[in-house]
Amino acid sequence: MQGTVTCGSWIRRPENLNLVVLGKSLKKRDSASPSVLEIFSFDPLTASLSNSPQVTYVFEETEGEPVTIAVHPSGDDFVCSTSKGGCKLLELSGQETKLKLLAKELPPLHDVGPQNCMAFSVDGSKFATGGVDGRLRILEWPSLRIILDEAKAHNSVRDMDFSLDSEFLASTSTDGSARIWKAEDGSAVATLTRNSDEKIELCRFSKDGTKPFLFCAVQKGDKAVTSVYDISTWKKIGYKRLLRKPAAIMSISLDGKYLALGSKDGDVCVAEVKTMEVSHLSRRLHLGTCIASLEFCPSQRVVLTTSSEWGAVVTKLNVPADWKEWQIYVVLVGLFLASAIAFYIFFQNSDSFWKFPHESDRPRGPKFEILDPQYSEDAFGPLDM
C-alpha cells in the first residue's frame, strides 16, 4: 500500500460485511501530491485486506492530510478530519465491488481546524469532536444541531467516548484531566478525581451492558495503569496494570468483552473485561512506532492497527472462539435428544406404575362357559310350590 497511513477505521456494512477505510498522505519530499481516503474489503477467512482499494477519494491540496476518522454505526457515512480543511462528511453507497463515495460539507465543522478525536454515539444520534485547540462540540445527528460548543473544555482534547446508552460523553485532556458531559444537553456532569502524580490520558466506557464502568489509561508516575471508574458515582474503584508501558490509544470491542491498548512503541495487548486479565499480547507489532489507530472488527476477533511507519496491520486475536448461533441450536437439539434417550432407557428398565404387563405375561384365571342366551340367569326357571 503506497503512501503513509495516518488513520484508519472499520466500516460495518449489512450482512456482516466489513470494510476498512484508511487515510493516507501521499506527499513526498520533492512533490506535493494530494492525500486520499481508500476503502478496502476484508476477507474473514484469511483475516486480510484486499490488495487494492475498492474506491478512493482524493482530497484537495488545500485540505491537508486526514487526521482521524469516525464511522456512523449504520456504516452508511463517516466523517474525516483534515489537518487544514476542517471536517468532511463522506457517504458510502453500493455493493462491495461497486462502492461509491460522495463528499459533503459539514457547515458547523467547516474550517474548525484539526480534530484530535471524534466519535458517534452508540445509537448514532449524537456526534462529538475534540479539537487540538481544546474545543469540544456535541452535535445532533443528522440534523447537525449544536448541543454543545465549549471553547475551553480542555487545554487540548486527547480522547473521548460515548457510554453504551448514549447518555454520557467522557473526554480527556493533554494536561491529564478528564470530564464527563451529558450528551442530551451538553451540561458538565463531573470531573474525574486523580492524584497529583496521575495523568488520565485515554477513556472507554464498558459496552457489555452489565458493567457500568469507565476505563481510563492513566500514567501514574512512571507506571502505566488502567483505572476503573463506577459511572453511577464517577469514583475510582480500582486499577490494573495491563500494558505495563505508556499507552497511545485504547479501544473496546463492540460486544464489550475485550479491551485493547496500543503502546507508543508498537505493542498491543488485549484484556478480557470480565477478568481484567491479558488474553492476547502482540509485541513489536509496529516496531518502534507509535500506534495511531486501534479498533476491533465489528464481527470478528480481529483488530486493525495503523502507524506512520508500518501502515495498516490486521491481527487475528489469540482468544477463545465465540459461540455461533447455529452452534447453540445444535447443542440445544443434542441436549433434547439425549434427554429423550435417557427417559426411554429409564422407562424400559423401571417398574413404573404406568408400565402394564404384556398380554402373554398376565396370570391366567379360571375359564367360564358362556351360557346360551336363550336361557335366563336362573337355570332352573320358576318353581311351582
Side-chain angles (χ1 to χ4, degrees), residues 64-75:
E65 303 175 358
V67 176
T68 185
I69 297 171
V71 180
H72 191 270
S74 67

Side-chain angles (χ1 to χ4, degrees), residues 340-360:
I341 293 172
F343 177 78
Y344 176 78
I345 295 175
F346 175 78
F347 178 80
Q348 289 296 319
N349 293 277
S350 64
D351 295 328
S352 172
F353 171 80
W354 300 106
K355 187 178 179 183
F356 298 106
H358 192 270
E359 182 69 26
S360 60

Side-chain angles (χ1 to χ4, degrees), residues 375-382:
Y375 296 103
S376 65
E377 288 186 2
D378 190 348
F380 297 96

